[in-house]
Amino acid sequence: MAISSLMKSPVLGCLCIWLAAIGVSAAAFQPNYDEAKVPEYRLPDPLVLPNGKTIEDAKTWERKGRPAILKLFTEHVYGRAPGRPSGMKFHTWSYDRSALDGKATRKEIIIYLTGKTNGPSIELLMYVPNQARKPVPVFLGLNYYGNQSIHPDPAIKITERWMRQGKDDIVVNNRATEKSRGYQASRWAIEQALERGFAVATFYYGDIEPDHEEGWKTGVRAALSKRGAQTVFGPSDWGALAAWAWGLSRAMDYIEKDRDLDAQRVVVFGHSRHGKAALWAGAVDQRFAIVISNDSGCGGAALSRRRFGETVERINTAFPHWFCDLFKQYNGREDDLPVDQHELIALIAPRPVYVASADKDLWADPKGEFLAAKHAEPVYRLYGLAGLGVEEMPGTNQPVGHYIGYHLRSGTHDITAYDWEQYLRFAARHFGMP
Ligand code: GTR
């Protein structure tokens, strides 16, 4: 039976929608996991300007090269986002100096994005170390299941926003339950970060846009548009990843106002789709001092032209709302992309950037992530900065790098204590902390 007739059956149709929602397309997509079958490809050179001239110094990169590449990514990949909305307001919803046995101050801040209390908002949770000289550096990242999922701390407000159905009664009727407290705590090394003198700030990515095809209608992409849920997006208008990245910049706007936090030392980080959003946020918004991509894969740190694991066509099919519409033109046509993902990393220069992969996470193409980091080096070199410091991909659990950090963790698609250890060390080194 053809897929199209299968889709017409109500039961199978539902199954297909469910599979698409969790990122498994019913269409038989066969990812390539064979290095020998990676096609030959030529990467665009970040140091060659559209007029064919080669960039030889950092000044020309900043004046001409960087803006040109940023524009290509904006128009062809992630889409154009608005700036900071006027009238944004911050409200301290909770403040407790005795959180986590007195180790930290817990703050919950509501960012009213349009200033209106009934408009879109971000609920930012943060832990600030009590035993530290203020202002402190910050790790800022999105979370998947609400702020209450990052730590078992019973005082964290449970998000009331729409959420994808999950396992184990974590989510019931698309709302997070009491059981979701600490559900993803293993992905958040809060205590370790606090001990090293970092604050950690996070918000639920669904505050900005629920992660499904129609999610934009109840997210900022509709709320900030004159036509609301009737908006018809142009080919280069923002997709969900650009919206999530935009949300990270709004959290940064808050950080700039909080005297306990050092806005000059903010690390934006993320795992998987949040890693893609973190890279784009760091590329666009140069206020982020360090950018960390954990297993971000296709549309993140992995080279699209390798077509290893997830491909452009596959990601645009399973997640049609993530990128701008124009990106769909490159389905099956990776070689025609005017950019590749090494240039996304290059946009972060001269700021330190860290790319991490996991050896069993072939879907995200670990080697493609390493190579993208490698091919970003020429831009760091313009600043006289060393990148990875190695020519070959290191073995598992052997972190490398100077201004471009990289490691291949043993294990699966996840963010673990091992990953955090490397990130905390990397950030501390670049911020001159013990
Ligand atoms: C997968 C998707 C990846 C990655 C991942 C995640 O289904 O294909 O690009 O983003 O989800 O975010 O966990």
Side-chain angles (χ1 to χ4, degrees):
M1 208 195 291
I3 296 283
S4 55
S5 37
L6 273 176
M7 279 292 285
K8 281 179 198 142
S9 130
V11 176
L12 285 165
C14 279
L15 179 71
C16 292
I17 290 165
W18 178 75
L19 287 170
I22 61 163
V24 183
S25 157
F29 171 72
Q30 291 291 338
N32 173 42
Y33 290 139
D34 181 353
E35 205 50 49
K37 289 193 185 136
V38 170
E40 261 182 51
Y41 59 87
R42 255 189 76 182
L43 293 178
D45 185 339
L47 297 187
V48 176
L49 287 166
N51 64 10
K53 288 209 177 117
T54 301
I55 298 174
E56 277 159 17
D57 57 85
K59 215 167 161 192
T60 313
W61 162 254
E62 283 173 18
R63 285 212 340 253
K64 297 191 173 147
R66 188 179 189 281
I69 292 176
L70 192 60
K71 189 162 183 270
L72 291 173
F73 273 107
T74 303
E75 291 177 355
H76 296 259
V77 185
Y78 303 101
R80 203 173 294 107
R84 174 184 172 147
S86 59
M88 203 165 61
K89 285 199 182 102
F90 309 121
H91 169 70
T92 305
W93 191 80
S94 82
Y95 184 96
D96 180 0
R97 284 193 52 84
S98 58
L100 311 183
D101 301 324
K103 282 198 281 278
T105 298
R106 183 197 328 96
K107 304 190 201 187
E108 292 171 296
I109 307 293
I110 308 182
I111 304 174
Y112 292 112
L113 292 162
T114 56
K116 296 191 195 112
T117 51
N118 60 354
S121 63
I122 290 173
E123 298 180 352
L124 188 69
L125 164 72
M126 89 198 70
Y127 289 103
V128 184
N130 285 336
Q131 307 284 19
R133 279 192 19 229
K134 304 283 184 318
V136 292
V138 187
F139 269 71
L140 169 69
L142 301 165
N143 67 66
Y144 283 90
Y145 287 93
N147 295 340
Q148 79 290 343
S149 68
I150 72 144
H151 197 284
D153 179 353
I156 304 172
K157 177 182 186 288
I158 297 186
T159 181
E160 287 154 25
R161 304 257 152 91
W162 179 94
M163 196 169 292
R164 179 181 317 298
Q165 288 300 125
K167 293 178 263 169
D168 317 325
D169 303 336
I170 298 307
V171 184
V172 172
N173 296 330
N174 295 110
R175 293 293 179 274
T177 66
E178 199 51 49
K179 282 201 181 160
S180 64
R181 287 195 182 282
Y183 177 54
Q184 294 211 317
S186 70
R187 289 186 169 183
W188 294 83
I190 304 293
E191 276 80 0
Q192 289 84 337
L194 291 167
E195 253 155 52
R196 294 196 72 140
F198 292 93
V200 180
T202 182
F203 62 94
Y204 172 48
Y205 78 138
D207 286 0
I208 291 294
E209 174 166 332
D211 189 2
H212 62 90
E213 200 175 351
E214 304 284 306
W216 66 272
K217 293 183 180 169
T218 56
V220 297
R221 285 199 286 152
L224 298 182
S225 156
K226 283 194 196 81
R227 299 194 56 198
Q230 308 301 316
T231 301
V232 178
F233 291 111
S236 297
D237 285 344
W238 53 343
L241 285 166
W244 295 321
W246 178 90
L248 288 165
S249 287
R250 305 293 70 82
M252 183 62 167
D253 296 338
Y254 167 78
I255 291 171
E256 288 185 321
K257 295 267 175 246
D258 186 327
R259 295 224 195 106
D260 290 341
L261 309 175
D262 183 355
Q264 306 293 320
R265 292 185 294 164
V266 177
V267 182
V268 66
F269 77 101
H271 167 62
S272 205
R273 66 198 69 182
H274 295 172
K276 307 182 212 287
L279 283 170
W280 183 233
V284 172
D285 189 338
Q286 293 178 285
R287 292 175 300 172
F288 292 115
I290 295 182
V291 183
I292 295 175
S293 147
N294 190 86
D295 304 0
S296 63
C298 181
L303 292 175
S304 300
R305 280 169 175 73
R306 278 174 45 85
R307 286 153 269 199
F308 187 101
E310 187 170 30
T311 62
V312 168
E313 177 163 14
R314 178 45 218 255
I315 204 166
N316 277 328
T317 308
F319 307 102
H321 54 296
W322 281 6
F323 299 87
C324 70
D325 279 343
L326 200 56
F327 192 51
K328 297 193 175 80
Q329 278 196 8
Y330 301 99
N331 287 352
R333 292 178 45 221
E334 283 83 351
D335 292 310
D336 294 335
L337 272 164
V339 286
D340 210 321
Q341 299 305 109
H342 62 303
E343 293 174 299
L344 179 63
I345 299 170
L347 288 175
I348 293 157
R351 295 162 294 156
V353 61
Y354 201 113
V355 174
S357 318
D359 66 349
K360 301 234 163 35
D361 184 20
L362 295 181
W363 182 246
D365 186 14
K367 183 155 184 205
E369 296 187 311
F370 172 78
L371 288 173
K374 186 75 197 151
H375 290 293
E377 283 184 332
V379 175
Y380 280 80
R381 240 177 266 135
L382 292 177
Y383 292 90
L385 300 175
L388 291 163
V390 293
E391 293 308 311
E392 298 299 323
M393 187 167 171
T396 51
N397 306 327
Q398 291 170 39
V400 296
H402 302 284
Y403 277 77
I404 307 179
Y406 179 83
H407 72 250
L408 175 67
R409 174 178 48 75
S410 56
T412 54
H413 187 67
D414 196 2
I415 175 164
T416 69
Y418 178 86
D419 297 314
W420 272 93
E421 218 179 291
Q422 313 319 314
Y423 304 152
L424 291 169
R425 188 178 308 146
F426 184 78
R429 170 155 56 87
H430 285 287
F431 290 158
M433 295 160 71

